Amino acid sequence: MGDNNVNLPPGFRFCPSDEELIVHFLHRKASFLPCHPDVIPDLHLHPYDPWDLDGKAMAGGNKWYFYSRRTHETTRITSNGYWQPLGVDETILSSTNHNVGTKKYYAFYMGEPPQGQKTNWLMQEYIQISDSSASSSRRRRRSQSKIDYSKWVICRVYESNGDSDDNDGAELSCLDDVFLSLDDLDDEEISLPH
C-alpha cells in the first residue's frame, strides 16, 4: 500500500465499484472531507511507469489505485514511456441514475511519443462531475487554500491479459469462481458432506 501504512483488518479487500470511487472517495477528497480508513495515496502520475506502482499505490488484487492531480495534457510521459488516451469515455451513474462522473481510458506505450510500442497496461481515470452548489463552496475554499482540490482524479491501473472482461470493470467474486469451476466438474466428482 506504499506510504499509507493503515491498520486494516485481516481479510480486507479493496474492490470498489466505479460509483464508490467517485461518490465515496473522490467526492470526499475534493470536498476536504475525511475518508476512513484513508487507503488511497496521492501520487503524481508522471514519474512512475505502471510496474513501479506496486508498493506506492493502493493495491486491490492486480489493480493499483491512487489520487493524482488532473492534467489537461493528452499524453502523460513517464521515464520509459507514455499514457495515450484511447478516446473512450464512459459516464458513471449513481444507483439513483444520476451522472456522478466520467471514466477515461488510457493505454501505456513504451518509448517516445508518438512512435511508442503499445503494452498491456491500462489506466482508468475517474473524474467527478461537479454540481453548482459544490462549485460555489469550492470557490470559497479555493480562496482560503493555495491547493485546488477540485482538480483531483482517481486512477486505476492494471495489466490486461487481453480478455474483454478487463475493460468493463466487472470482476468475478470468489463465489462466482467456485460456481464456474463446479460447472467444469462431472456430477460424480462432487461429494457433499452428509
Side-chain angles (χ1 to χ4, degrees):
M1 190 168 1
D3 298 332
N4 283 18
N5 291 329
V6 177
N7 237 351
L8 297 172
F12 177 83
R13 303 287 185 273
F14 191 72
C15 188
S17 68
D18 292 346
E19 178 186 3
E20 290 166 339
L21 284 172
I22 298 268
V23 174
H24 181 72
F25 292 99
L26 191 54
H27 173 73
R28 296 183 76 77
K29 176 82 168 171
S31 301
F32 300 97
L33 297 172
C35 188
H36 299 290
D38 187 11
V39 295
I40 301 178
D42 299 346
L43 290 177
H44 185 62
L45 177 64
H46 297 292
Y48 301 107
D49 292 315
W51 50 86
D52 294 332
L53 292 172
D54 193 23
K56 294 174 182 64
M58 174 63 189
N62 64 346
K63 297 176 181 171
W64 290 271
Y65 299 83
F66 58 93
Y67 293 110
S68 187
R69 296 288 288 167
R70 185 175 180 189
T71 63
H72 295 288
E73 302 169 31
T74 56
T75 303
R76 289 138 167 103
I77 299 172
T78 70
S79 56
N80 291 308
Y82 59 97
W83 291 101
Q84 181 70 34
L86 294 176
V88 178
D89 293 357
E90 188 177 318
T91 300
I92 307 298
L93 298 175
S94 69
S95 54
T96 57
N97 251 3
H98 289 92
N99 183 354
V100 293
T102 303
K103 178 169 54 171
K104 295 180 176 284
Y105 289 85
Y106 296 83
F108 188 74
Y109 288 75
M110 292 288 292
E112 298 282 325
Q115 290 90 11
Q117 174 102 22
K118 187 176 181 182
T119 69
N120 289 338
W121 288 96
L122 298 174
M123 178 172 62
Q124 298 165 339
E125 183 181 76
Y126 292 85
I127 303 164
Q128 179 181 349
I129 299 293
S130 61
D131 60 348
S132 58
S133 63
S135 296
S136 63
S137 66
R138 277 198 290 266
R139 276 193 292 274
R140 282 193 303 271
R141 286 192 188 112
R142 221 178 276 152
S143 64
Q144 299 167 356
S145 172
K146 292 181 182 178
I147 300 173
D148 181 6
Y149 285 98
S150 66
K151 299 296 182 189
W152 287 102
V153 296
I154 289 182
C155 297
R156 175 193 280 157
V157 175
Y158 60 96
E159 189 171 17
S160 169
N161 62 9
D163 291 342
S164 60
D165 291 343
D166 287 331
N167 294 330
D168 66 4
E171 293 186 30
L172 295 178
S173 71
C174 296
L175 288 176
D176 290 334
D177 286 339
V178 169
F179 288 124
L180 288 173
S181 65
L182 289 176
D183 288 341
D184 296 336
L185 299 175
D186 293 332
D187 291 337
E188 298 154 3
E189 294 179 42
I190 302 172
S191 63
L192 299 173
H194 299 289

